[in-house]
Amino acid sequence: MKQRKAGFLILTVMLCLVCFITRTAGIGLVLALIVSFLISSRKKLMAWSRQQPFYAVLVIIIACSLLGFLVTRPKFIIYLSYFLGPLLRDPATFFSQNVRLHLVDWAELFINIPISKTGFLVSPVVAEIFYILTGLFFLGLLTVRLIRNHRMIPLPVIVYLIIYTLLIFNWPFFEARFWFPLVPLLAAILVQQGKESKPLYQKARMSYLLYYVATGIFVLGYYSRMSFDRPYLVKKHDAGKWQAEYEDHFGIKRVSDSSAVNKKAIYLLNKYD
């Protein structure tokens, strides 16, 4: 956009294609770049379309043809149903389930602990309420930061955050990993210092960062130990659910009765470990 060089444009298109091929949700990046270009260049585009109406109509025809081609592709239709299906088919369930559960996995990014690991502290209902409130808080905080600092944040970043967030809230599957592409951008926006930060805010901010780092170090240590300490892995992984399979695979304790173990788990261990 700034350099107006064809090489940068080609590289952008190639990288967007790589993102889209890697994960279909990469379409959010493509849409963000297109939408931000249209918004930032709207005055120039309007003036150009008045000066060159023939080429403007030609561009619209090509864009509509491309869209028409995509909507006839079975895979595109399937993923489009994933994106829009929950809201269009059953709006009531969408707000009672999709939004609720995605607020939980959104909150997991900021609490840095999966809700599934909180059972020893609080009941599932209390945990869900806490995670939903935390999700709403950070969603509100992000919105305030985007509005307040919109002049300092590149337009494609703002548009991408909005598009990707809407996309995931429509997504009918629920895991915190779906939010991972936003993590670097969220960190960059949320750790920005305010011009007039109050001492209380500074202390709360530092305490939160220390907590986040501490939980991260604990988890890294926990999984590092499980990676190198086989007896510990056998007992702790998935609360010991696969103990028999691990013991058989590692030769700790051979299982004489094959019906006592999950054959698929044994197959995966033998093939990939």
Side-chain angles (χ1 to χ4, degrees), residues 97-115 128 131-132 135 168-169 171-180:
Q97 179 171 309
N98 261 59
V99 172
R100 175 175 60 86
L101 294 179
H102 278 307
L103 277 173
V104 169
D105 53 44
W106 162 260
E108 287 180 339
L109 293 182
F110 305 98
I111 297 176
N112 210 22
I113 299 174
I115 192 171
E128 184 172 311
Y131 274 68
I132 288 173
I168 296 301
F169 270 104
W171 196 242
F173 306 105
F174 310 98
E175 287 186 43
R177 66 185 178 87
F178 293 131
W179 294 105
F180 286 176

PDB file of all heavy atoms in Angstrom, residues 97-115 128 131-132 135 168-169 171-180:
ATOM      1  N   GLN A  97     -25.171 -21.323  22.972  1.00  0.00           N
ATOM      2  CA  GLN A  97     -24.089 -22.306  22.940  1.00  0.00           C
ATOM      3  C   GLN A  97     -22.828 -21.748  22.299  1.00  0.00           C
ATOM      4  O   GLN A  97     -21.780 -21.677  22.955  1.00  0.00           O
ATOM      5  CB  GLN A  97     -24.525 -23.559  22.182  1.00  0.00           C
ATOM      6  CG  GLN A  97     -23.422 -24.622  22.085  1.00  0.00           C
ATOM      7  CD  GLN A  97     -23.945 -25.935  21.530  1.00  0.00           C
ATOM      8  OE1 GLN A  97     -24.945 -26.460  22.007  1.00  0.00           O
ATOM      9  NE2 GLN A  97     -23.278 -26.467  20.525  1.00  0.00           N
ATOM     10  N   ASN A  98     -22.901 -21.327  21.036  1.00  0.00           N
ATOM     11  CA  ASN A  98     -21.697 -20.863  20.341  1.00  0.00           C
ATOM     12  C   ASN A  98     -21.008 -19.718  21.075  1.00  0.00           C
ATOM     13  O   ASN A  98     -19.816 -19.788  21.374  1.00  0.00           O
ATOM     14  CB  ASN A  98     -22.044 -20.422  18.915  1.00  0.00           C
ATOM     15  CG  ASN A  98     -21.723 -21.490  17.893  1.00  0.00           C
ATOM     16  OD1 ASN A  98     -22.246 -22.599  17.969  1.00  0.00           O
ATOM     17  ND2 ASN A  98     -20.866 -21.177  16.952  1.00  0.00           N
ATOM     18  N   VAL A  99     -21.774 -18.672  21.339  1.00  0.00           N
ATOM     19  CA  VAL A  99     -21.182 -17.492  21.983  1.00  0.00           C
ATOM     20  C   VAL A  99     -20.687 -17.846  23.378  1.00  0.00           C
ATOM     21  O   VAL A  99     -19.574 -17.463  23.779  1.00  0.00           O
ATOM     22  CB  VAL A  99     -22.210 -16.342  22.041  1.00  0.00           C
ATOM     23  CG1 VAL A  99     -21.663 -15.185  22.872  1.00  0.00           C
ATOM     24  CG2 VAL A  99     -22.559 -15.871  20.634  1.00  0.00           C
ATOM     25  N   ARG A 100     -21.471 -18.609  24.122  1.00  0.00           N
ATOM     26  CA  ARG A 100     -21.094 -18.983  25.498  1.00  0.00           C
ATOM     27  C   ARG A 100     -19.806 -19.795  25.517  1.00  0.00           C
ATOM     28  O   ARG A 100     -18.868 -19.478  26.258  1.00  0.00           O
ATOM     29  CB  ARG A 100     -22.238 -19.774  26.129  1.00  0.00           C
ATOM     30  CG  ARG A 100     -21.924 -20.321  27.519  1.00  0.00           C
ATOM     31  CD  ARG A 100     -23.161 -20.974  28.118  1.00  0.00           C
ATOM     32  NE  ARG A 100     -23.642 -22.078  27.304  1.00  0.00           N
ATOM     33  CZ  ARG A 100     -23.206 -23.328  27.393  1.00  0.00           C
ATOM     34  NH1 ARG A 100     -22.246 -23.629  28.266  1.00  0.00           N
ATOM     35  NH2 ARG A 100     -23.703 -24.277  26.640  1.00  0.00           N
ATOM     36  N   LEU A 101     -19.733 -20.834  24.692  1.00  0.00           N
ATOM     37  CA  LEU A 101     -18.565 -21.715  24.710  1.00  0.00           C
ATOM     38  C   LEU A 101     -17.333 -21.046  24.100  1.00  0.00           C
ATOM     39  O   LEU A 101     -16.207 -21.304  24.533  1.00  0.00           O
ATOM     40  CB  LEU A 101     -18.882 -23.016  23.959  1.00  0.00           C
ATOM     41  CG  LEU A 101     -19.956 -23.888  24.615  1.00  0.00           C
ATOM     42  CD1 LEU A 101     -20.209 -25.138  23.792  1.00  0.00           C
ATOM     43  CD2 LEU A 101     -19.555 -24.267  26.036  1.00  0.00           C
ATOM     44  N   HIS A 102     -17.543 -20.175  23.113  1.00  0.00           N
ATOM     45  CA  HIS A 102     -16.385 -19.483  22.542  1.00  0.00           C
ATOM     46  C   HIS A 102     -15.877 -18.380  23.478  1.00  0.00           C
ATOM     47  O   HIS A 102     -14.689 -18.037  23.425  1.00  0.00           O
ATOM     48  CB  HIS A 102     -16.720 -18.914  21.166  1.00  0.00           C
ATOM     49  CG  HIS A 102     -16.625 -19.927  20.075  1.00  0.00           C
ATOM     50  ND1 HIS A 102     -15.488 -20.697  19.882  1.00  0.00           N
ATOM     51  CD2 HIS A 102     -17.504 -20.329  19.120  1.00  0.00           C
ATOM     52  CE1 HIS A 102     -15.677 -21.506  18.856  1.00  0.00           C
ATOM     53  NE2 HIS A 102     -16.877 -21.311  18.389  1.00  0.00           N
ATOM     54  N   LEU A 103     -16.742 -17.841  24.318  1.00  0.00           N
ATOM     55  CA  LEU A 103     -16.256 -16.922  25.345  1.00  0.00           C
ATOM     56  C   LEU A 103     -15.347 -17.663  26.320  1.00  0.00           C
ATOM     57  O   LEU A 103     -14.363 -17.109  26.818  1.00  0.00           O
ATOM     58  CB  LEU A 103     -17.432 -16.293  26.098  1.00  0.00           C
ATOM     59  CG  LEU A 103     -18.095 -15.086  25.443  1.00  0.00           C
ATOM     60  CD1 LEU A 103     -19.342 -14.675  26.216  1.00  0.00           C
ATOM     61  CD2 LEU A 103     -17.132 -13.910  25.323  1.00  0.00           C
ATOM     62  N   VAL A 104     -15.673 -18.934  26.570  1.00  0.00           N
ATOM     63  CA  VAL A 104     -14.846 -19.747  27.469  1.00  0.00           C
ATOM     64  C   VAL A 104     -13.479 -20.005  26.852  1.00  0.00           C
ATOM     65  O   VAL A 104     -12.446 -19.776  27.496  1.00  0.00           O
ATOM     66  CB  VAL A 104     -15.556 -21.085  27.795  1.00  0.00           C
ATOM     67  CG1 VAL A 104     -14.588 -22.033  28.507  1.00  0.00           C
ATOM     68  CG2 VAL A 104     -16.779 -20.844  28.660  1.00  0.00           C
ATOM     69  N   ASP A 105     -13.444 -20.494  25.588  1.00  0.00           N
ATOM     70  CA  ASP A 105     -12.124 -20.786  25.010  1.00  0.00           C
ATOM     71  C   ASP A 105     -11.352 -19.501  24.698  1.00  0.00           C
ATOM     72  O   ASP A 105     -10.124 -19.495  24.680  1.00  0.00           O
ATOM     73  CB  ASP A 105     -12.221 -21.709  23.786  1.00  0.00           C
ATOM     74  CG  ASP A 105     -13.180 -21.231  22.715  1.00  0.00           C
ATOM     75  OD1 ASP A 105     -13.166 -20.032  22.405  1.00  0.00           O
ATOM     76  OD2 ASP A 105     -13.932 -22.068  22.171  1.00  0.00           O
ATOM     77  N   TRP A 106     -12.051 -18.386  24.473  1.00  0.00           N
ATOM     78  CA  TRP A 106     -11.393 -17.082  24.337  1.00  0.00           C
ATOM     79  C   TRP A 106     -10.725 -16.695  25.668  1.00  0.00           C
ATOM     80  O   TRP A 106      -9.584 -16.240  25.693  1.00  0.00           O
ATOM     81  CB  TRP A 106     -12.431 -16.048  23.911  1.00  0.00           C
ATOM     82  CG  TRP A 106     -12.093 -14.613  24.099  1.00  0.00           C
ATOM     83  CD1 TRP A 106     -12.500 -13.797  25.101  1.00  0.00           C
ATOM     84  CD2 TRP A 106     -11.286 -13.785  23.236  1.00  0.00           C
ATOM     85  NE1 TRP A 106     -12.015 -12.523  24.933  1.00  0.00           N
ATOM     86  CE2 TRP A 106     -11.266 -12.481  23.797  1.00  0.00           C
ATOM     87  CE3 TRP A 106     -10.586 -14.013  22.052  1.00  0.00           C
ATOM     88  CZ2 TRP A 106     -10.572 -11.424  23.211  1.00  0.00           C
ATOM     89  CZ3 TRP A 106      -9.886 -12.944  21.461  1.00  0.00           C
ATOM     90  CH2 TRP A 106      -9.887 -11.683  22.039  1.00  0.00           C
ATOM     91  N   ALA A 107     -11.448 -16.919  26.777  1.00  0.00           N
ATOM     92  CA  ALA A 107     -10.902 -16.589  28.097  1.00  0.00           C
ATOM     93  C   ALA A 107      -9.696 -17.446  28.438  1.00  0.00           C
ATOM     94  O   ALA A 107      -8.796 -17.000  29.177  1.00  0.00           O
ATOM     95  CB  ALA A 107     -11.983 -16.754  29.160  1.00  0.00           C
ATOM     96  N   GLU A 108      -9.648 -18.678  27.921  1.00  0.00           N
ATOM     97  CA  GLU A 108      -8.521 -19.560  28.208  1.00  0.00           C
ATOM     98  C   GLU A 108      -7.202 -18.955  27.739  1.00  0.00           C
ATOM     99  O   GLU A 108      -6.145 -19.240  28.316  1.00  0.00           O
ATOM    100  CB  GLU A 108      -8.743 -20.926  27.555  1.00  0.00           C
ATOM    101  CG  GLU A 108      -9.803 -21.753  28.247  1.00  0.00           C
ATOM    102  CD  GLU A 108     -10.023 -23.107  27.605  1.00  0.00           C
ATOM    103  OE1 GLU A 108      -9.668 -23.260  26.411  1.00  0.00           O
ATOM    104  OE2 GLU A 108     -10.546 -24.007  28.264  1.00  0.00           O
ATOM    105  N   LEU A 109      -7.247 -18.120  26.703  1.00  0.00           N
ATOM    106  CA  LEU A 109      -6.024 -17.461  26.236  1.00  0.00           C
ATOM    107  C   LEU A 109      -5.441 -16.563  27.318  1.00  0.00           C
ATOM    108  O   LEU A 109      -4.220 -16.458  27.454  1.00  0.00           O
ATOM    109  CB  LEU A 109      -6.321 -16.600  24.997  1.00  0.00           C
ATOM    110  CG  LEU A 109      -6.713 -17.286  23.699  1.00  0.00           C
ATOM    111  CD1 LEU A 109      -6.906 -16.235  22.612  1.00  0.00           C
ATOM    112  CD2 LEU A 109      -5.663 -18.292  23.266  1.00  0.00           C
ATOM    113  N   PHE A 110      -6.315 -15.911  28.076  1.00  0.00           N
ATOM    114  CA  PHE A 110      -5.862 -14.897  29.031  1.00  0.00           C
ATOM    115  C   PHE A 110      -5.681 -15.459  30.436  1.00  0.00           C
ATOM    116  O   PHE A 110      -4.856 -14.953  31.206  1.00  0.00           O
ATOM    117  CB  PHE A 110      -6.867 -13.740  29.056  1.00  0.00           C
ATOM    118  CG  PHE A 110      -7.109 -13.140  27.692  1.00  0.00           C
ATOM    119  CD1 PHE A 110      -8.209 -13.514  26.940  1.00  0.00           C
ATOM    120  CD2 PHE A 110      -6.200 -12.253  27.155  1.00  0.00           C
ATOM    121  CE1 PHE A 110      -8.423 -12.982  25.675  1.00  0.00           C
ATOM    122  CE2 PHE A 110      -6.396 -11.714  25.892  1.00  0.00           C
ATOM    123  CZ  PHE A 110      -7.509 -12.084  25.145  1.00  0.00           C
ATOM    124  N   ILE A 111      -6.449 -16.490  30.772  1.00  0.00           N
ATOM    125  CA  ILE A 111      -6.251 -17.139  32.062  1.00  0.00           C
ATOM    126  C   ILE A 111      -5.058 -18.087  31.992  1.00  0.00           C
ATOM    127  O   ILE A 111      -4.400 -18.371  32.992  1.00  0.00           O
ATOM    128  CB  ILE A 111      -7.538 -17.891  32.476  1.00  0.00           C
ATOM    129  CG1 ILE A 111      -8.678 -16.883  32.648  1.00  0.00           C
ATOM    130  CG2 ILE A 111      -7.322 -18.678  33.765  1.00  0.00           C
ATOM    131  CD1 ILE A 111     -10.016 -17.520  32.956  1.00  0.00           C
ATOM    132  N   ASN A 112      -4.776 -18.575  30.799  1.00  0.00           N
ATOM    133  CA  ASN A 112      -3.611 -19.435  30.536  1.00  0.00           C
ATOM    134  C   ASN A 112      -3.732 -20.810  31.190  1.00  0.00           C
ATOM    135  O   ASN A 112      -2.726 -21.488  31.399  1.00  0.00           O
ATOM    136  CB  ASN A 112      -2.313 -18.761  30.991  1.00  0.00           C
ATOM    137  CG  ASN A 112      -1.121 -19.195  30.142  1.00  0.00           C
ATOM    138  OD1 ASN A 112      -1.295 -19.646  29.007  1.00  0.00           O
ATOM    139  ND2 ASN A 112       0.080 -19.058  30.671  1.00  0.00           N
ATOM    140  N   ILE A 113      -4.964 -21.177  31.541  1.00  0.00           N
ATOM    141  CA  ILE A 113      -5.244 -22.506  32.101  1.00  0.00           C
ATOM    142  C   ILE A 113      -6.529 -23.001  31.446  1.00  0.00           C
ATOM    143  O   ILE A 113      -7.544 -22.298  31.492  1.00  0.00           O
ATOM    144  CB  ILE A 113      -5.427 -22.461  33.626  1.00  0.00           C
ATOM    145  CG1 ILE A 113      -4.155 -21.967  34.313  1.00  0.00           C
ATOM    146  CG2 ILE A 113      -5.820 -23.840  34.163  1.00  0.00           C
ATOM    147  CD1 ILE A 113      -4.310 -21.753  35.799  1.00  0.00           C
ATOM    148  N   PRO A 114      -6.538 -24.188  30.853  1.00  0.00           N
ATOM    149  CA  PRO A 114      -7.779 -24.721  30.264  1.00  0.00           C
ATOM    150  C   PRO A 114      -8.854 -24.905  31.330  1.00  0.00           C
ATOM    151  O   PRO A 114      -8.546 -25.284  32.465  1.00  0.00           O
ATOM    152  CB  PRO A 114      -7.358 -26.065  29.668  1.00  0.00           C
ATOM    153  CG  PRO A 114      -5.868 -25.995  29.555  1.00  0.00           C
ATOM    154  CD  PRO A 114      -5.404 -25.101  30.664  1.00  0.00           C
ATOM    155  N   ILE A 115     -10.087 -24.655  30.977  1.00  0.00           N
ATOM    156  CA  ILE A 115     -11.178 -24.806  31.943  1.00  0.00           C
ATOM    157  C   ILE A 115     -11.302 -26.252  32.403  1.00  0.00           C
ATOM    158  O   ILE A 115     -11.757 -26.532  33.516  1.00  0.00           O
ATOM    159  CB  ILE A 115     -12.512 -24.310  31.333  1.00  0.00           C
ATOM    160  CG1 ILE A 115     -13.579 -24.180  32.433  1.00  0.00           C
ATOM    161  CG2 ILE A 115     -12.975 -25.219  30.213  1.00  0.00           C
ATOM    162  CD1 ILE A 115     -14.846 -23.500  31.965  1.00  0.00           C
ATOM    163  N   GLU A 128     -17.175 -22.114  34.626  1.00  0.00           N
ATOM    164  CA  GLU A 128     -17.687 -21.570  33.359  1.00  0.00           C
ATOM    165  C   GLU A 128     -18.111 -20.123  33.510  1.00  0.00           C
ATOM    166  O   GLU A 128     -17.832 -19.288  32.642  1.00  0.00           O
ATOM    167  CB  GLU A 128     -18.863 -22.410  32.860  1.00  0.00           C
ATOM    168  CG  GLU A 128     -19.380 -21.953  31.502  1.00  0.00           C
ATOM    169  CD  GLU A 128     -20.411 -22.892  30.915  1.00  0.00           C
ATOM    170  OE1 GLU A 128     -20.176 -24.122  30.872  1.00  0.00           O
ATOM    171  OE2 GLU A 128     -21.482 -22.385  30.495  1.00  0.00           O
ATOM    172  N   TYR A 131     -14.981 -17.983  33.637  1.00  0.00           N
ATOM    173  CA  TYR A 131     -14.334 -17.879  32.333  1.00  0.00           C
ATOM    174  C   TYR A 131     -15.140 -16.989  31.393  1.00  0.00           C
ATOM    175  O   TYR A 131     -14.564 -16.212  30.615  1.00  0.00           O
ATOM    176  CB  TYR A 131     -14.137 -19.271  31.718  1.00  0.00           C
ATOM    177  CG  TYR A 131     -12.857 -19.943  32.154  1.00  0.00           C
ATOM    178  CD1 TYR A 131     -12.686 -20.366  33.469  1.00  0.00           C
ATOM    179  CD2 TYR A 131     -11.808 -20.144  31.273  1.00  0.00           C
ATOM    180  CE1 TYR A 131     -11.509 -20.973  33.888  1.00  0.00           C
ATOM    181  CE2 TYR A 131     -10.622 -20.755  31.681  1.00  0.00           C
ATOM    182  CZ  TYR A 131     -10.481 -21.167  32.987  1.00  0.00           C
ATOM    183  OH  TYR A 131      -9.306 -21.761  33.401  1.00  0.00           O
ATOM    184  N   ILE A 132     -16.462 -17.079  31.428  1.00  0.00           N
ATOM    185  CA  ILE A 132     -17.297 -16.228  30.574  1.00  0.00           C
ATOM    186  C   ILE A 132     -17.116 -14.762  30.937  1.00  0.00           C
ATOM    187  O   ILE A 132     -16.961 -13.901  30.068  1.00  0.00           O
ATOM    188  CB  ILE A 132     -18.780 -16.644  30.680  1.00  0.00           C
ATOM    189  CG1 ILE A 132     -19.009 -17.984  29.978  1.00  0.00           C
ATOM    190  CG2 ILE A 132     -19.687 -15.581  30.071  1.00  0.00           C
ATOM    191  CD1 ILE A 132     -20.399 -18.548  30.162  1.00  0.00           C
ATOM    192  N   GLY A 135     -13.804 -13.669  29.741  1.00  0.00           N
ATOM    193  CA  GLY A 135     -13.852 -13.497  28.284  1.00  0.00           C
ATOM    194  C   GLY A 135     -14.499 -12.185  27.894  1.00  0.00           C
ATOM    195  O   GLY A 135     -14.005 -11.475  27.012  1.00  0.00           O
ATOM    196  N   ILE A 168     -14.683 -17.013  14.263  1.00  0.00           N
ATOM    197  CA  ILE A 168     -14.558 -18.049  15.282  1.00  0.00           C
ATOM    198  C   ILE A 168     -15.819 -18.145  16.139  1.00  0.00           C
ATOM    199  O   ILE A 168     -16.234 -19.243  16.527  1.00  0.00           O
ATOM    200  CB  ILE A 168     -13.319 -17.809  16.166  1.00  0.00           C
ATOM    201  CG1 ILE A 168     -12.049 -17.919  15.318  1.00  0.00           C
ATOM    202  CG2 ILE A 168     -13.264 -18.814  17.307  1.00  0.00           C
ATOM    203  CD1 ILE A 168     -11.876 -19.270  14.635  1.00  0.00           C
ATOM    204  N   PHE A 169     -16.469 -17.025  16.421  1.00  0.00           N
ATOM    205  CA  PHE A 169     -17.703 -17.093  17.191  1.00  0.00           C
ATOM    206  C   PHE A 169     -18.809 -17.816  16.414  1.00  0.00           C
ATOM    207  O   PHE A 169     -19.754 -18.321  17.004  1.00  0.00           O
ATOM    208  CB  PHE A 169     -18.167 -15.694  17.603  1.00  0.00           C
ATOM    209  CG  PHE A 169     -17.620 -15.257  18.929  1.00  0.00           C
ATOM    210  CD1 PHE A 169     -16.592 -14.334  18.999  1.00  0.00           C
ATOM    211  CD2 PHE A 169     -18.117 -15.780  20.109  1.00  0.00           C
ATOM    212  CE1 PHE A 169     -16.067 -13.939  20.219  1.00  0.00           C
ATOM    213  CE2 PHE A 169     -17.602 -15.390  21.340  1.00  0.00           C
ATOM    214  CZ  PHE A 169     -16.576 -14.466  21.397  1.00  0.00           C
ATOM    215  N   TRP A 171     -17.942 -20.376  14.416  1.00  0.00           N
ATOM    216  CA  TRP A 171     -17.391 -21.714  14.185  1.00  0.00           C
ATOM    217  C   TRP A 171     -18.042 -22.717  15.133  1.00  0.00           C
ATOM    218  O   TRP A 171     -18.122 -22.467  16.339  1.00  0.00           O
ATOM    219  CB  TRP A 171     -15.882 -21.674  14.395  1.00  0.00           C
ATOM    220  CG  TRP A 171     -15.120 -22.834  13.849  1.00  0.00           C
ATOM    221  CD1 TRP A 171     -14.370 -23.718  14.575  1.00  0.00           C
ATOM    222  CD2 TRP A 171     -14.985 -23.236  12.490  1.00  0.00           C
ATOM    223  NE1 TRP A 171     -13.783 -24.646  13.737  1.00  0.00           N
ATOM    224  CE2 TRP A 171     -14.157 -24.369  12.445  1.00  0.00           C
ATOM    225  CE3 TRP A 171     -15.504 -22.750  11.289  1.00  0.00           C
ATOM    226  CZ2 TRP A 171     -13.819 -25.032  11.273  1.00  0.00           C
ATOM    227  CZ3 TRP A 171     -15.185 -23.394  10.110  1.00  0.00           C
ATOM    228  CH2 TRP A 171     -14.346 -24.514  10.101  1.00  0.00           C
ATOM    229  N   PRO A 172     -18.507 -23.862  14.640  1.00  0.00           N
ATOM    230  CA  PRO A 172     -19.249 -24.802  15.494  1.00  0.00           C
ATOM    231  C   PRO A 172     -18.380 -25.761  16.297  1.00  0.00           C
ATOM    232  O   PRO A 172     -18.891 -26.726  16.848  1.00  0.00           O
ATOM    233  CB  PRO A 172     -20.110 -25.568  14.474  1.00  0.00           C
ATOM    234  CG  PRO A 172     -19.284 -25.573  13.237  1.00  0.00           C
ATOM    235  CD  PRO A 172     -18.528 -24.264  13.223  1.00  0.00           C
ATOM    236  N   PHE A 173     -17.074 -25.519  16.344  1.00  0.00           N
ATOM    237  CA  PHE A 173     -16.175 -26.351  17.141  1.00  0.00           C
ATOM    238  C   PHE A 173     -15.499 -25.456  18.178  1.00  0.00           C
ATOM    239  O   PHE A 173     -15.254 -24.281  17.928  1.00  0.00           O
ATOM    240  CB  PHE A 173     -15.137 -27.038  16.250  1.00  0.00           C
ATOM    241  CG  PHE A 173     -15.771 -27.821  15.123  1.00  0.00           C
ATOM    242  CD1 PHE A 173     -15.746 -27.324  13.823  1.00  0.00           C
ATOM    243  CD2 PHE A 173     -16.388 -29.034  15.360  1.00  0.00           C
ATOM    244  CE1 PHE A 173     -16.332 -28.027  12.781  1.00  0.00           C
ATOM    245  CE2 PHE A 173     -16.972 -29.749  14.329  1.00  0.00           C
ATOM    246  CZ  PHE A 173     -16.944 -29.249  13.038  1.00  0.00           C
ATOM    247  N   PHE A 174     -15.174 -26.048  19.334  1.00  0.00           N
ATOM    248  CA  PHE A 174     -14.778 -25.229  20.474  1.00  0.00           C
ATOM    249  C   PHE A 174     -13.444 -25.686  21.052  1.00  0.00           C
ATOM    250  O   PHE A 174     -13.370 -26.680  21.760  1.00  0.00           O
ATOM    251  CB  PHE A 174     -15.869 -25.295  21.550  1.00  0.00           C
ATOM    252  CG  PHE A 174     -17.242 -25.017  21.006  1.00  0.00           C
ATOM    253  CD1 PHE A 174     -18.096 -26.063  20.681  1.00  0.00           C
ATOM    254  CD2 PHE A 174     -17.663 -23.723  20.775  1.00  0.00           C
ATOM    255  CE1 PHE A 174     -19.352 -25.825  20.160  1.00  0.00           C
ATOM    256  CE2 PHE A 174     -18.913 -23.461  20.251  1.00  0.00           C
ATOM    257  CZ  PHE A 174     -19.767 -24.517  19.935  1.00  0.00           C
ATOM    258  N   GLU A 175     -12.389 -24.923  20.737  1.00  0.00           N
ATOM    259  CA  GLU A 175     -11.059 -25.165  21.286  1.00  0.00           C
ATOM    260  C   GLU A 175     -10.298 -23.848  21.296  1.00  0.00           C
ATOM    261  O   GLU A 175     -10.412 -23.045  20.367  1.00  0.00           O
ATOM    262  CB  GLU A 175     -10.293 -26.193  20.452  1.00  0.00           C
ATOM    263  CG  GLU A 175     -10.768 -27.631  20.614  1.00  0.00           C
ATOM    264  CD  GLU A 175      -9.858 -28.602  19.865  1.00  0.00           C
ATOM    265  OE1 GLU A 175      -8.624 -28.440  19.945  1.00  0.00           O
ATOM    266  OE2 GLU A 175     -10.383 -29.490  19.184  1.00  0.00           O
ATOM    267  N   ALA A 176      -9.497 -23.656  22.322  1.00  0.00           N
ATOM    268  CA  ALA A 176      -8.733 -22.406  22.430  1.00  0.00           C
ATOM    269  C   ALA A 176      -7.730 -22.246  21.302  1.00  0.00           C
ATOM    270  O   ALA A 176      -7.363 -21.123  20.939  1.00  0.00           O
ATOM    271  CB  ALA A 176      -8.016 -22.349  23.779  1.00  0.00           C
ATOM    272  N   ARG A 177      -7.294 -23.361  20.708  1.00  0.00           N
ATOM    273  CA  ARG A 177      -6.268 -23.280  19.659  1.00  0.00           C
ATOM    274  C   ARG A 177      -6.754 -22.514  18.435  1.00  0.00           C
ATOM    275  O   ARG A 177      -5.949 -21.995  17.661  1.00  0.00           O
ATOM    276  CB  ARG A 177      -5.811 -24.678  19.246  1.00  0.00           C
ATOM    277  CG  ARG A 177      -6.859 -25.524  18.569  1.00  0.00           C
ATOM    278  CD  ARG A 177      -6.358 -26.938  18.291  1.00  0.00           C
ATOM    279  NE  ARG A 177      -7.368 -27.791  17.690  1.00  0.00           N
ATOM    280  CZ  ARG A 177      -7.585 -27.872  16.379  1.00  0.00           C
ATOM    281  NH1 ARG A 177      -6.858 -27.160  15.546  1.00  0.00           N
ATOM    282  NH2 ARG A 177      -8.519 -28.677  15.913  1.00  0.00           N
ATOM    283  N   PHE A 178      -8.067 -22.414  18.245  1.00  0.00           N
ATOM    284  CA  PHE A 178      -8.581 -21.661  17.101  1.00  0.00           C
ATOM    285  C   PHE A 178      -8.253 -20.170  17.209  1.00  0.00           C
ATOM    286  O   PHE A 178      -8.267 -19.449  16.214  1.00  0.00           O
ATOM    287  CB  PHE A 178     -10.097 -21.841  16.963  1.00  0.00           C
ATOM    288  CG  PHE A 178     -10.511 -23.243  16.598  1.00  0.00           C
ATOM    289  CD1 PHE A 178     -11.504 -23.897  17.288  1.00  0.00           C
ATOM    290  CD2 PHE A 178      -9.887 -23.910  15.553  1.00  0.00           C
ATOM    291  CE1 PHE A 178     -11.887 -25.198  16.954  1.00  0.00           C
ATOM    292  CE2 PHE A 178     -10.256 -25.196  15.208  1.00  0.00           C
ATOM    293  CZ  PHE A 178     -11.259 -25.843  15.908  1.00  0.00           C
ATOM    294  N   TRP A 179      -7.986 -19.718  18.438  1.00  0.00           N
ATOM    295  CA  TRP A 179      -7.667 -18.301  18.648  1.00  0.00           C
ATOM    296  C   TRP A 179      -6.182 -17.999  18.515  1.00  0.00           C
ATOM    297  O   TRP A 179      -5.778 -16.836  18.529  1.00  0.00           O
ATOM    298  CB  TRP A 179      -8.128 -17.869  20.042  1.00  0.00           C
ATOM    299  CG  TRP A 179      -9.605 -17.892  20.249  1.00  0.00           C
ATOM    300  CD1 TRP A 179     -10.328 -18.806  20.963  1.00  0.00           C
ATOM    301  CD2 TRP A 179     -10.564 -16.944  19.752  1.00  0.00           C
ATOM    302  NE1 TRP A 179     -11.660 -18.503  20.941  1.00  0.00           N
ATOM    303  CE2 TRP A 179     -11.833 -17.358  20.204  1.00  0.00           C
ATOM    304  CE3 TRP A 179     -10.467 -15.792  18.970  1.00  0.00           C
ATOM    305  CZ2 TRP A 179     -13.001 -16.669  19.911  1.00  0.00           C
ATOM    306  CZ3 TRP A 179     -11.623 -15.097  18.665  1.00  0.00           C
ATOM    307  CH2 TRP A 179     -12.877 -15.530  19.128  1.00  0.00           C
ATOM    308  N   PHE A 180      -5.345 -19.040  18.397  1.00  0.00           N
ATOM    309  CA  PHE A 180      -3.894 -18.830  18.427  1.00  0.00           C
ATOM    310  C   PHE A 180      -3.377 -17.845  17.363  1.00  0.00           C
ATOM    311  O   PHE A 180      -2.424 -17.116  17.634  1.00  0.00           O
ATOM    312  CB  PHE A 180      -3.160 -20.162  18.297  1.00  0.00           C
ATOM    313  CG  PHE A 180      -3.208 -20.997  19.548  1.00  0.00           C
ATOM    314  CD1 PHE A 180      -2.671 -22.275  19.574  1.00  0.00           C
ATOM    315  CD2 PHE A 180      -3.797 -20.527  20.704  1.00  0.00           C
ATOM    316  CE1 PHE A 180      -2.716 -23.060  20.718  1.00  0.00           C
ATOM    317  CE2 PHE A 180      -3.864 -21.293  21.863  1.00  0.00           C
ATOM    318  CZ  PHE A 180      -3.314 -22.558  21.860  1.00  0.00           C
TER     319      PHE A 180
END
